[in-house]
Amino acid sequence: MTRPQRGSGASGAAYVPSAGAGLHRGVPPGERLRVLLVEDDEGDAFLVGELLAETNSMIDLLVATSLSEARQRVMGVDCVLLDLGLPDAQGLDGLRRVLEMASGAAVCVLTGRSDEHLGIVAVAEGAQDYLVKGQVDGVLLTRALRYAVERKRADENARRLREVELRQAESARLERGLLPQPLMTTDEVSVHTFYRPGRHAALIGGDFYDVVQTQPDRIDLIVGDVCGHGVDEAALGVELRVAWRALVLAGVPDDEVLPALEQVLMSERRLQEIFATVATTRLDLASARATVRLAGHPPPLLLSGGTVAPVPAKGGLLLGVRPRRPIAFDLEFDTDDWSLLMYTDGLIEGRVNGGDERLDVPGLTDLLADPANRAVPLSELPAWLVGRAEQINGGPLADDVAMLLVTRGSGR
């Protein structure tokens, strides 16, 4: 390959006209490449421009004669073609500085014939490729530049994907850590939990539950639902659950627990429109009684003596709307074989057979009263209920679902 006469077109920091800058005017800009050549030899810069022009490369070439000049021109380029012998940077030091200032662009290095080993080291340092002066033609140069850009994009995509995967893994670990561990030691009752968020790929949502045993014969349970489905609502649900546990463990009087929880909600919510519904139950095992309080929440269902019925507690007001103490309802157990199901409304808001009717509390009661569930172990009953609700709905339930099933004796 003969070297062309030296010209003035490649000097300074302007586009080289012969490199195709004025060609293919009808081609969308996204299909062209912008390449910054960092080369202090005017003849070599002119040769690169001519090689690209003769192949109609669709590459716009910008030239800088020093690293300091390149720093001013690197913004927005797809690839940097770097000579390793510059007035203000030599060898790998220049490459490292270019990689630092052009982190989003591919980098190819130009080496002399005697420095080919340096090109191999440059690739190990982070360059996408190296080219030996005098050993490339226009086709090879164009292909090398385009391949370098594609490799850089692939590397960037892989890096971003890895970052996303790491963030998702960290979020999953965090969410798993925020799910409650029932604080209970008694074996007089069993508690079976179920939780599934409505958000895709999430582990927690705005629904929450918790179980705390404060005395040998006393157990407190809560199920709640923060309106909304986002991360903020999930975080608020965790705050309310933790606050409730702290209030119960601190021995706050029963009638003051939910008002205090409402204060937490009103101080921590990001919008005044955010509210929550809550159902709490205090089990007194020694006296075979329970005290149920509802704040805008659907009632628990009692399974006992082969029948299923909603606990007739008053619904009360939503937390965060107009502060008022929920009215306590005392429930007496007639037998030592019973189950109490507490749940969030995501379970009962599904449609019935594609119509406008919701499953609601009566529909859920009918599902539990169905003799078919007698063969379902109590530990699997919450998941069975979700499966049946989805079958009736004709697809997945849209909202978060949380359930607590506390059982004593045979549970039915």
Side-chain angles (χ1 to χ4, degrees):
M1 179 178 62
T2 40
R3 180 168 175 151
Q5 295 287 329
R6 293 191 178 185
S8 58
S11 61
Y15 287 109
V16 178
S18 60
L23 300 177
H24 308 283
R25 297 182 187 276
V27 177
E31 294 187 15
R32 303 185 67 84
L33 293 184
R34 298 185 69 218
V35 175
L36 174 62
L37 172 63
V38 188
E39 171 63 77
D40 65 323
D41 188 297
E42 184 179 341
D44 287 342
F46 181 78
L47 177 60
V48 170
E50 288 298 305
L51 290 175
L52 295 176
E54 71 184 21
T55 61
N56 291 333
S57 60
M58 291 173 58
I59 292 177
D60 298 328
L61 187 67
L62 187 66
V63 179
T65 59
S66 66
L67 205 60
S68 58
E69 189 177 354
R71 189 179 299 276
Q72 303 172 18
R73 306 288 176 176
V74 74
M75 184 66 67
V77 301
D78 300 298
C79 183
V80 176
L81 187 55
L82 174 68
D83 180 23
L84 292 180
L86 297 171
D88 53 353
Q90 293 289 321
L92 296 179
D93 175 63
L95 172 63
R96 296 188 185 106
R97 291 163 64 183
V98 167
L99 289 171
E100 181 179 352
M101 70 183 183
S103 58
V107 177
C108 286
V109 298
L110 285 170
T111 68
R113 291 176 179 171
S114 60
D115 293 327
E116 188 170 353
H117 69 284
L118 194 58
I120 298 174
V121 178
V123 171
E125 287 280 339
Q128 269 64 51
D129 205 347
Y130 72 94
L131 301 169
V132 179
K133 292 182 179 180
Q135 294 185 3
V136 294
D137 57 17
V139 173
L140 179 59
L141 177 59
T142 301
R143 185 183 301 137
L145 293 175
R146 289 195 173 275
Y147 284 1
V149 171
E150 290 306 316
R151 280 194 295 272
K152 179 65 176 179
R153 290 173 180 170
D155 290 345
E156 285 294 305
N157 289 338
R159 180 185 61 81
R160 292 191 185 99
L161 178 61
R162 179 58 179 161
E163 289 177 353
V164 169
E165 290 174 344
L166 289 174
R167 283 196 296 270
Q168 288 177 339
E170 290 172 356
S171 298
R173 286 194 295 271
L174 176 61
E175 289 185 341
R176 276 192 293 269
L178 293 176
L179 288 173
Q181 298 297 322
L183 187 61
M184 192 178 73
T185 58
T186 184
D187 56 3
E188 291 190 44
V189 297
S190 300
V191 175
H192 309 291
T193 64
F194 181 92
Y195 196 97
R196 192 176 68 185
R199 284 187 299 133
H200 176 67
L203 292 177
I204 60 173
D207 291 8
F208 58 94
Y209 67 84
D210 205 353
V211 181
V212 175
Q213 181 179 353
T214 54
Q215 296 179 13
D217 58 356
R218 193 175 82 180
I219 301 172
D220 285 272
L221 306 99
I222 187 172
V223 169
D225 181 2
V226 177
C227 70
H229 307 283
V231 176
D232 291 331
E233 289 74 23
L236 184 55
V238 172
E239 290 181 87
L240 294 178
R241 178 184 66 77
V242 172
W244 175 85
R245 177 177 282 204
L247 291 166
V248 170
L249 290 175
V252 174
D254 297 355
D255 287 337
E256 301 297 330
V257 171
L258 288 185
L261 197 65
E262 187 168 40
Q263 291 182 7
V264 174
L265 168 67
M266 296 173 69
S267 65
E268 295 296 328
R269 63 187 177 184
R270 59 185 178 87
L271 298 172
Q272 287 190 339
E273 295 78 12
I274 299 295
F275 62 87
T277 68
V278 169
T280 66
T281 299
R282 169 161 288 178
L283 295 176
D284 188 336
L285 301 178
S287 61
R289 299 170 62 91
T291 302
V292 178
R293 292 176 173 84
L294 304 179
H297 203 84
L301 299 183
L302 176 64
L303 292 74
S304 179
T307 63
V308 181
V311 175
K314 291 189 176 181
L317 292 178
L318 309 167
L319 296 186
V321 176
R322 186 159 58 98
R324 191 175 70 177
R325 285 181 174 85
I327 298 175
F329 177 83
D330 290 327
L331 173 68
E332 294 187 7
F333 300 108
D334 298 330
T335 173
D336 287 338
D337 297 310
W338 52 264
S339 290
L340 194 66
L341 177 68
M342 302 174 66
Y343 54 93
T344 55
D345 60 6
L347 179 63
I348 59 175
E349 287 187 341
R351 306 284 181 176
V352 176
N353 299 324
D356 294 331
E357 182 184 356
R358 303 282 186 177
L359 181 64
D360 216 342
V361 177
L364 181 60
T365 302
D366 291 341
L367 284 181
L368 279 172
D370 186 346
N373 74 49
R374 292 276 182 175
V376 180
L378 288 171
S379 60
E380 299 175 12
L381 188 58
W384 181 87
L385 285 172
V386 171
R388 290 289 289 119
E390 290 183 333
Q391 184 179 2
I392 295 171
N393 185 55
L397 300 174
D399 202 358
D400 306 335
V401 177
M403 277 185 274
L404 285 177
L405 180 66
V406 55
T407 70
R408 190 172 195 179
S410 67
R412 291 185 172 98

